[in-house]
Amino acid sequence: MLKFLLMTLFLMPLCFYKNVWHVLQLSVYLGGALFLFVSSTPGVLGESGYYFGCDVVSFGLILLSFWICGLMLSASQGIYKDGYSDNFFLFLVTSLLLALVLTFSSTNILFFYIYFEASLIPTLFLILGWGYQPERVQAGTYLLFYTLLASLPLLLGVFFFYETGGSLSLTHLYCHVYPKPSVLLYLVMILAFLVKMPMFLVHLWLPKAHVEAPVSGSMILAGVLLKLGGYGLFRVMNLVQIKNILYSYLWVSISLVGGVMVSFICLRQSDLKSLVAYSSVAHMGLVLGGLMTMNYWGMCGAYMMMIAHGLCSSGLFSLTNMTYERLGSRSILINKGLLNLMPSMSMWWFLLSAANMAAPPTLNLLGELSLLNSLVAWSWVTMSMLMLVSFFSAAYTLYLYSYSQHGKLNMSSYSSMGGTVREYLVLILHWLPLNLLILKSESGIMWL
């Protein structure tokens, strides 16, 4: 594991040379490829040493981090062309990648907490430095206070486990027998991850951050940073599982009802980016529901859905940005009739929208089926809400696609042009793994 961490660390000095954008971009892709081929999918805990290790969940999410960071640089070519602090931008992307790889590979719970929080700083700088509207300061404040306020009690929980278990190593803590945890300790341990996912009721920071962030910020937020919450729950659930059996109904109820509510919110959005951002909340609600059932289908489904949502949502954000760069607006009222303007881009809108509503043969379908299985097996009552969530997720995705691609073309858009090779490459690299991974799905379904 250390070789990949050092490789990412040594990319940082490269950021401050002139005209290294494409070199760094290729280096990130190369790092992802090396990680894929050198680390054969490990068993219980592979690549272990120096408090860093990698199991199947870490493996998939580290690979996703490399992939999305490479695609961020491909999608943000405008920053390089305009010379808008491009070196500092590269430095932030590389430091964010390093923080994510460190978070996903930490086997020490305190290291995990530190790197979990560290990933917030580059994201904040991305939103404040390259965001579009003056409201980005407010969005940054929301992001900072929501996540920090929920995360600080987690540090106290970590110290408590160190005091009672005598170690900070996750593998040691899993084997240690604890007295029955209190409700307060249970809340402290999972609240930070519920906000990060985000769970409905504590999700307000996410649409704000997405709408104000540049395309790279939105891609990394949707692609990887939301997955930190799910990954954190994977790791701490074993420590508080006795209490979770008692209270899981609460989180499942909130996430499913929240999924339906957010779907209604999606149906009345007039901003493309805001619609995709709210759809992320609905999808992550399903992931949270599956995780809280604590059964095999739920864990596997949550993992598959996190990978699938990371690729699909990131692709939709980059698509939205491509139309924004041409038309200068993200409003659905102006982004009409894009089928006339960019016919080949409409195909990508269709393919990624289909993935967003979990159409076969995408990985989203496999993740969603596993989650539906786990929730219905956990309780029959969830079926009513699951039907609504599934139906309305298709409804708002069709609304997004049909309203943006069909209709009367805005007359001011004639000065626009079709997609470039770079843009199609970004979209293909989002879509291909999403559809090919289902052919190799045993690593996601049969890993326990």
Side-chain angles (χ1 to χ4, degrees):
M1 205 59 236
L2 214 55
K3 51 185 172 285
F4 299 109
L5 294 172
L6 288 172
M7 178 188 71
T8 318
L9 187 65
F10 289 142
L11 286 178
M12 284 187 173
L14 198 64
C15 302
F16 297 106
Y17 286 93
K18 281 188 177 176
N19 300 323
V20 288
W21 184 282
H22 298 295
V23 177
L24 199 87
Q25 192 177 323
L26 286 170
S27 304
V28 172
Y29 281 129
L30 183 66
L34 282 172
F35 183 73
L36 177 61
F37 294 123
V38 175
S39 312
S40 57
T41 312
V44 181
L45 195 71
E47 302 284 333
S48 196
Y50 294 102
Y51 287 115
F52 294 107
C54 173
D55 66 356
V56 180
V57 186
S58 312
F59 179 78
L61 290 169
I62 291 171
L63 202 53
L64 185 69
S65 305
F66 273 110
W67 195 248
I68 298 288
C69 283
L71 290 169
M72 277 166 71
L73 295 174
S74 303
S76 307
Q77 205 75 20
I79 293 171
Y80 173 59
K81 283 180 182 167
D82 300 341
Y84 185 47
S85 306
D86 52 334
N87 289 104
F88 186 49
F89 179 82
L90 286 176
F91 176 72
L92 285 177
V93 172
T94 319
S95 53
L96 186 53
L97 176 60
L98 181 65
L100 287 168
V101 175
L102 284 165
T103 310
F104 291 133
S105 59
S106 290
T107 58
N108 182 303
I109 195 166
L110 184 62
F111 282 0
F112 169 71
Y113 173 81
I114 292 165
Y115 301 133
F116 175 79
E117 290 304 314
S119 60
L120 198 66
I121 301 162
T123 319
L124 187 66
F125 276 114
L126 279 175
I127 293 172
L128 294 179
W130 288 269
Y132 299 121
Q133 278 98 9
E135 286 87 12
R136 61 179 184 256
V137 180
Q138 188 191 9
T141 314
Y142 260 61
L143 171 72
L144 201 65
F145 278 92
Y146 260 92
T147 44
L148 273 183
L149 194 68
S151 304
L152 280 171
L154 176 62
L155 188 60
L156 297 175
V158 169
F159 290 154
F160 171 82
F161 277 106
Y162 178 60
E163 195 176 315
T164 51
S167 172
L168 286 167
S169 170
L170 278 167
T171 41
H172 178 271
L173 289 175
Y174 290 159
C175 303
H176 190 75
V177 180
Y178 296 101
K180 201 173 178 183
S182 65
V183 180
L184 185 63
L185 179 65
Y186 171 63
L187 280 175
V188 156
M189 289 308 285
I190 67 165
L191 189 63
F193 306 121
L194 296 179
V195 171
K196 196 77 171 180
M197 280 194 78
M199 184 182 71
F200 184 69
L201 300 179
V202 283
H203 68 288
L204 289 177
W205 63 271
L206 183 79
K208 266 193 179 306
H210 270 309
V211 170
E212 304 306 329
V215 60
S216 53
S218 289
M219 283 169 75
I220 197 71
L221 258 174
V224 189
L225 290 175
L226 299 189
K227 315 299 170 282
L228 281 172
Y231 178 76
L233 284 176
F234 262 110
R235 290 287 174 253
V236 301
M237 198 70 87
N238 280 352
L239 303 175
V240 288
Q241 60 184 342
I242 301 168
K243 271 284 179 279
N244 196 60
I245 291 165
L246 290 173
Y247 294 107
S248 58
Y249 72 91
L250 181 66
W251 311 119
V252 174
S253 311
I254 291 174
S255 59
L256 290 180
V257 174
V260 178
M261 301 279 279
V262 167
S263 301
F264 286 138
I265 294 170
C266 283
L267 281 169
R268 56 177 301 277
Q269 288 302 314
S270 59
D271 184 312
L272 286 173
K273 214 172 182 184
S274 187
L275 200 158
V276 180
Y278 274 109
S279 79
S280 291
V281 181
H283 284 122
M284 294 313 282
L286 272 181
V287 171
L288 177 62
L291 272 174
M292 285 299 175
T293 59
M294 290 203 305
N295 58 25
Y296 184 76
W297 278 100
M299 291 292 179
C300 295
Y303 172 54
M304 300 296 271
M305 192 71 171
M306 286 198 292
I307 302 286
H309 174 264
L311 290 162
C312 175
S313 207
S314 173
L316 281 169
F317 277 117
S318 50
L319 255 180
T320 307
N321 185 64
M322 286 164 200
T323 56
Y324 175 68
E325 282 173 349
R326 285 161 177 73
L327 303 178
S329 169
R330 289 192 310 259
S331 171
I332 289 181
L333 303 172
I334 291 172
N335 287 285
K336 271 181 177 295
L338 294 179
L339 192 60
N340 304 311
L341 194 67
M342 301 183 281
S344 48
M345 197 67 95
S346 292
M347 184 188 78
W348 288 105
W349 270 105
F350 169 72
L351 289 173
L352 284 165
S353 298
N356 199 44
M357 61 167 102
T362 54
L363 198 61
N364 298 59
L365 176 74
L366 186 62
E368 206 156 298
L369 282 176
S370 306
L371 289 169
L372 294 180
N373 253 326
S374 78
L375 284 159
V376 173
W378 181 75
S379 168
W380 275 91
V381 184
T382 57
M383 201 178 268
S384 53
M385 282 298 157
L386 287 171
M387 285 192 295
L388 290 172
V389 169
S390 299
F391 174 75
F392 284 112
S393 73
Y396 64 69
T397 311
L398 283 169
Y399 161 66
L400 165 71
Y401 176 74
S402 55
Y403 268 65
S404 60
Q405 303 311 305
H406 300 287
K408 198 172 179 182
L409 184 65
N410 185 9
M411 294 306 286
S412 63
S413 328
Y414 279 129
S415 58
S416 182
M417 65 158 196
T420 60
V421 175
R422 172 186 62 85
E423 288 174 336
Y424 288 127
L425 189 64
V426 168
L427 295 172
I428 287 168
L429 290 177
H430 276 112
W431 184 81
L432 268 182
L434 193 58
N435 285 267
L436 292 179
L437 279 173
I438 199 164
L439 301 175
K440 186 68 180 155
S441 55
E442 64 267 24
S443 55
I445 290 291
M446 299 191 291
W447 47 271
L448 278 180

